[in-house]
Amino acid sequence: MIYNINRYLYQRRMKNKMNLKKYFAELFGTFVLVFVGTATAIETGDPLFTALAFGLVVVAMAYSIGSISGAHLNPAVSFGLALSKRITWKDFAFYALFQVIGAFLASLVVALVLGTTQTLGGNEVQAALNGDLWLALLVEVIVATVFIFVILSVTSKEENARVAGFVIALTLAVLILASFNLSNAGLNPARSLAPALLQGGTALTQVWVFILGPLVGAFLGSTLFKALNK
């Protein structure tokens, strides 16, 4: 009896330790993604360089922390995986929390480096959409749907393991290029929320678009994946 209790407690400790590793890996990975991606966007203002920056970080994180946490780096990705029962809802909650913390820390560092909170890469609806938030929401839903569908599809087969990181990163880069001059390429609630909180202004008043859109897209992407893979 005592042996069984000790064994159970040991297994609980090990499980909690592994969970903490996963969550902190997501914090670190999201920190790198937001720091590199938003810094590039601020410095260059160029869609191609921004897309490459975000895409290359995804590749780096996929092959460095992927074996620890899966390298989601995005609450919408974690939401899609939870809907598809690839992670638990508890993991989703902690993943999202630590991703937001990582993104916020990255935005703080960017603010410290720039010496201002006025320009931190917060997402804002672009002139091409004439400030129409509903059109921006539609764009965010579409690109997030495609992104989550690709992630679920490419990671559903073991033979794709070696190339999954590259496929996902390339997809992200292409979707950023497609939506950069429309919705400003949110795709990631943590990446959008963190700079908006510090930057304020239009980025903060419009942030709901960049939170709701990717989450709805995650739902639609996971639904489409299930429908096509029954």
Side-chain angles (χ1 to χ4, degrees):
M1 180 69 174
I2 294 176
Y3 169 78
N4 289 336
I5 292 174
N6 288 336
R7 184 180 180 186
Y8 170 76
L9 292 174
Y10 173 76
Q11 290 174 338
R12 273 296 287 275
R13 284 197 300 271
M14 293 302 295
K15 184 177 180 180
N16 289 336
K17 185 177 180 180
M18 286 301 298
N19 284 339
L20 281 175
K21 285 184 177 180
K22 291 192 299 185
Y23 304 149
F24 276 102
E26 284 298 305
L27 186 155
F28 171 72
T30 309
F31 173 90
V32 177
L33 180 74
V34 174
F35 176 75
V36 174
T38 57
T40 302
I42 293 166
E43 291 169 10
T44 69
D46 187 280
L48 179 59
F49 286 125
T50 302
L52 286 175
F54 277 102
L56 290 173
V57 170
V58 168
V59 173
M61 292 301 107
Y63 293 100
S64 57
I65 65 169
S67 60
I68 301 172
S69 68
H72 300 181
L73 318 180
N74 182 338
V77 172
S78 298
F79 185 52
L81 291 171
L83 288 169
S84 301
K85 298 182 180 179
R86 301 225 191 142
I87 63 171
T88 65
W89 286 106
K90 176 185 174 182
D91 272 343
F92 162 68
F94 278 103
Y95 268 46
L97 173 63
F98 278 74
Q99 288 158 356
V100 170
I101 292 172
F104 187 75
L105 291 175
S107 293
L108 275 177
V109 173
V110 172
L112 287 172
V113 171
L114 295 178
T116 179
T117 59
Q118 298 304 306
T119 306
L120 295 178
N123 291 110
E124 298 179 13
V125 178
Q126 298 299 287
L129 296 183
N130 296 316
D132 192 321
L133 298 184
W134 294 107
L135 279 179
L137 180 64
L138 177 61
V139 172
E140 286 294 303
V141 169
I142 291 171
V143 292
T145 298
V146 174
F147 190 45
I148 301 305
F149 176 77
V150 170
I151 289 173
L152 292 174
S153 298
V154 77
T155 58
S156 64
K157 299 176 182 178
E158 290 185 10
E159 59 266 31
N160 292 336
R162 291 185 178 181
V163 300
F166 286 102
V167 173
I168 292 168
L170 181 61
T171 302
L172 176 62
V174 169
L175 293 173
I176 289 174
L177 284 172
S179 59
F180 191 89
N181 290 320
L182 298 174
S183 68
N184 205 211
L187 279 159
N188 185 333
R191 172 263 177 275
S192 299
L193 178 62
L197 289 173
L198 293 171
Q199 187 174 319
T202 304
L204 186 58
T205 60
Q206 295 184 355
V207 73
W208 65 271
V209 171
F210 304 102
I211 294 174
L212 180 61
L215 293 178
V216 172
F219 171 76
L220 294 177
S222 63
T223 301
L224 180 60
F225 173 78
K226 292 175 186 176
L228 295 179
N229 289 274
K230 285 184 178 180

